[in-house]
Amino acid sequence: MRRNADELNKMRRAGKVVAEMHEVTRAAIRPGITTMEINNVAAAVIEKRGARSNFLNYHGFPAVICASPNSMIVHGIPGDYVLQEGDIISIDCGAIIEGYHGDAAYTAGVGQISKEAQRLLDVTERSLWAGIEQMTIGNRLHEIGRAVEKVALAAGYGIVREYVGHAIGTAMHESPQVPNYWPGSPGPIMKEGMVFAVEPMINIGGEETYTLDDGWGVMTTDGSLSAHFEHTIALTDNGPEVFTLA
Ligand code: MG
Ligand code: MG
């Protein structure tokens, strides 16, 4: 769906709230803090900016962020898990302003992390930006996944296939989906005013996943580390505009 200037403005504002949530949660990440404490600093931003959370109560999800450490890929429920030196932690969150949504994620190291973990973070973030570069008017949607895949596979990593990016607007998850791999067809033509959340989830090991008994946390089956970077991006005649940057 194409969004008009007024709608894009609301999404821009929602994106700024998400960017601020990223800023404050990044600043809070350190050994000894719990994932619930990180959730609470993000919730304070939602409150301060007069926004609403699109994560809280989403199919019953109990928090405003997902916090997914180490071999957890996505959808971790914040709680009493205490971050340890050397962990990596994926934070995914969103906000609604006047009915319009933003959604973005990042993975950060806790204190000093291994070279292998740092490389995973660097490659996953780079794969996101390679995907964003494909967001030009007239290009095909699935070129995003092709570009993401190229970066991840060159590094020897596994690309999660069961969870993908999505269009976003008056709902967080709209059609069409945005796969992080080439799905075998070019997909729809991208047009001015379309907005997508692009979100590669990349594992050091294989692509297989399983879900925890809590019904939320998604883990790598082989126990390898996983990273997740996401932005909400609009197609404009000046190229992609990333709404969820500070
Ligand atoms: Mg997200
Ligand atoms: Mg998303």
Side-chain angles (χ1 to χ4, degrees):
M1 174 177 284
R2 301 173 70 175
R3 303 288 171 186
N4 66 32
D6 179 57
E7 293 177 299
L8 291 173
N9 244 325
K10 288 170 179 161
M11 296 189 75
R12 203 172 269 125
R13 287 165 53 207
K16 289 292 179 208
V17 175
V18 180
E20 188 176 346
M21 294 166 83
H22 279 199
E23 231 165 50
V24 299
T25 54
R26 261 189 198 280
I29 288 170
R30 55 177 162 72
I33 195 169
T34 66
T35 50
M36 182 54 84
E37 289 172 301
I38 299 172
N39 177 77
N40 294 345
V41 301
V45 173
I46 294 264
E47 172 88 27
K48 184 169 76 173
R49 298 300 173 202
R52 289 197 302 122
S53 171
N54 38 15
F55 278 49
L56 185 63
N57 298 324
Y58 181 88
H59 296 285
F61 191 78
V64 306
I65 68 168
C66 294
S68 308
N70 299 321
S71 61
M72 191 182 288
I73 302 165
V74 285
H75 301 167
I77 299 174
D80 54 12
Y81 180 79
V82 178
L83 295 187
Q84 310 289 318
E85 176 93 19
D87 280 353
I88 61 171
I89 177 81
S90 297
I91 304 291
D92 190 359
C93 58
I96 309 170
I97 291 281
E98 293 185 43
Y100 288 83
H101 291 243
D103 179 17
Y106 67 91
T107 305
V110 180
Q112 194 69 33
I113 62 174
S114 70
K115 255 191 242 166
E116 292 73 22
Q118 188 60 55
R119 178 171 177 265
L120 173 68
L121 269 50
D122 293 344
V123 168
T124 306
E125 187 168 20
R126 192 148 47 79
S127 77
L128 168 59
W129 286 102
I132 290 171
E133 273 177 29
Q134 293 299 317
M135 291 183 62
T136 54
I137 293 164
N139 199 13
R140 297 289 195 140
L141 184 67
H142 295 166
E143 293 297 338
I144 295 171
R146 172 138 70 181
V148 167
E149 181 173 58
K150 192 173 168 195
V151 173
L153 293 185
Y157 292 152
I159 300 164
V160 174
R161 299 172 80 89
E162 285 156 285
Y163 304 89
V164 294
H166 48 94
I168 180 168
T170 52
M172 180 158 62
H173 296 135
E174 297 185 347
S175 291
Q177 294 190 335
V178 184
N180 295 305
Y181 52 88
W182 179 254
S185 68
I189 294 172
M190 288 185 279
K191 295 180 177 159
E192 186 177 2
M194 290 180 168
V195 188
F196 297 106
V198 179
E199 50 178 317
M201 288 148 261
I202 308 289
N203 307 335
I204 286 183
E207 67 188 44
E208 296 79 19
T209 74
Y210 72 94
T211 304
L212 294 178
D213 288 341
D214 67 14
W216 285 103
V218 178
M219 313 292 294
T220 60
T221 297
D222 61 13
S224 67
L225 293 178
S226 184
H228 181 205
F229 283 84
E230 175 181 28
H231 276 304
T232 295
I233 311 111
L235 280 122
T236 79
D237 52 12
N238 293 321
E241 180 182 344
V242 182
F243 284 164
T244 41
L245 278 179

